[in-house]
Amino acid sequence: MSSAEDGIMPRVIRMSGHSREELRARLIDVGVQFNQAAEDLFSDLRFQPSEQAAEVKVTARSVSDLGLSQGADYVQITERAKEMGLAECPLELAAYLRVQYLDQPVSSKRPKDAEPGSPPGALTVASAPLDDSDETPKGFYLRNIDGTLWLRGYWSDALHSFHPDDVFVFVCGRLGTAESSQLQIDSE
């Protein structure tokens, strides 16, 4: 299990059925900062959060936890996760996770000469990209940089290899919706 899994990250995320504008406002209300890629995702009309409230079980796994000890590209990571009973998250889950995970451990700023890739302390939320274009941000990751909470977007191409220590958040079960009393829990 990854260090994020051992920590205090919420295991159940409540998605309240907010619009992207409402989600962005909630993030701003709790002091979350955005980079340009996150701003681009929020302004993309294809990013349409579900209007239906739901509770989703999540788990954090490093690339290595998935058995990919040499690193892997995004498709390999999500295929391995699927084999383990995990699934990609809806894109909006990253915003709800950020609002509900205000005590993420602090990490320092990334050195200017750092190699490309996920920065230390990042939690990348595995979600299907809006399209295959390298110009469109692929998704979100969460960081607490020197005490400032961030919801950051990222760009990568199909050949990008994530490091074995990079941590992803996946759906591992759905507890149902506000309109449903049935529990739909996948095995972990």
Side-chain angles (χ1 to χ4, degrees):
M1 253 186 248
S2 71
S3 59
E5 185 69 7
D6 294 334
I8 48 180
M9 185 187 88
R11 311 265 181 172
V12 174
I13 305 303
R14 290 169 304 285
M15 298 194 307
S16 306
H18 293 296
S19 70
R20 61 192 166 107
E21 294 83 7
E22 291 168 331
L23 271 175
R24 190 174 185 291
R26 286 188 69 197
L27 290 159
I28 290 169
D29 285 347
V30 296
V32 172
Q33 299 294 306
F34 306 92
N35 68 352
Q36 187 58 54
E39 295 284 4
D40 291 351
L41 285 168
F42 268 97
S43 63
D44 193 310
L45 296 178
R46 295 172 294 176
F47 174 29
Q48 294 295 326
S50 174
E51 295 176 3
Q52 190 173 39
E55 289 188 334
V56 179
K57 286 179 58 179
V58 296
T59 188
R61 296 285 186 265
S62 72
V63 174
S64 181
D65 291 339
L66 296 172
L68 301 166
S69 60
Q70 301 300 309
D73 64 36
Y74 186 78
V75 170
Q76 293 168 320
I77 290 167
T78 55
E79 285 176 355
R80 180 62 58 91
K82 186 176 180 181
E83 291 169 6
M84 298 173 75
L86 306 175
E88 287 178 303
C89 303
L91 186 58
E92 68 265 25
L93 186 133
Y96 287 108
L97 176 58
R98 175 73 288 163
V99 168
Q100 294 169 46
Y101 189 28
L102 301 177
D103 52 359
Q104 181 179 12
V106 174
S107 59
S108 60
K109 289 183 181 173
R110 183 186 189 130
K112 291 186 191 273
D113 62 348
E115 293 291 320
S118 297
L123 284 178
T124 302
V125 178
S127 57
L130 294 174
D131 64 36
D132 294 330
S133 168
D134 291 344
E135 286 76 42
T136 304
K138 298 303 175 203
F140 292 109
Y141 68 94
L142 287 66
R143 287 206 56 213
N144 182 344
I145 304 172
D146 294 334
T148 301
L149 297 174
W150 286 83
L151 179 63
R152 299 176 64 89
Y154 70 94
W155 288 275
S156 68
D157 62 26
L159 301 177
H160 174 73
S161 182
F162 290 89
H163 190 274
D165 293 335
D166 290 345
V167 178
F168 284 82
V169 175
F170 296 97
V171 170
C172 61
R174 183 171 293 273
L175 298 174
T177 63
E179 293 77 29
S180 169
S181 61
Q182 283 188 311
L183 296 183
Q184 302 169 347
I185 302 175
D186 301 329
S187 62
E188 197 167 335

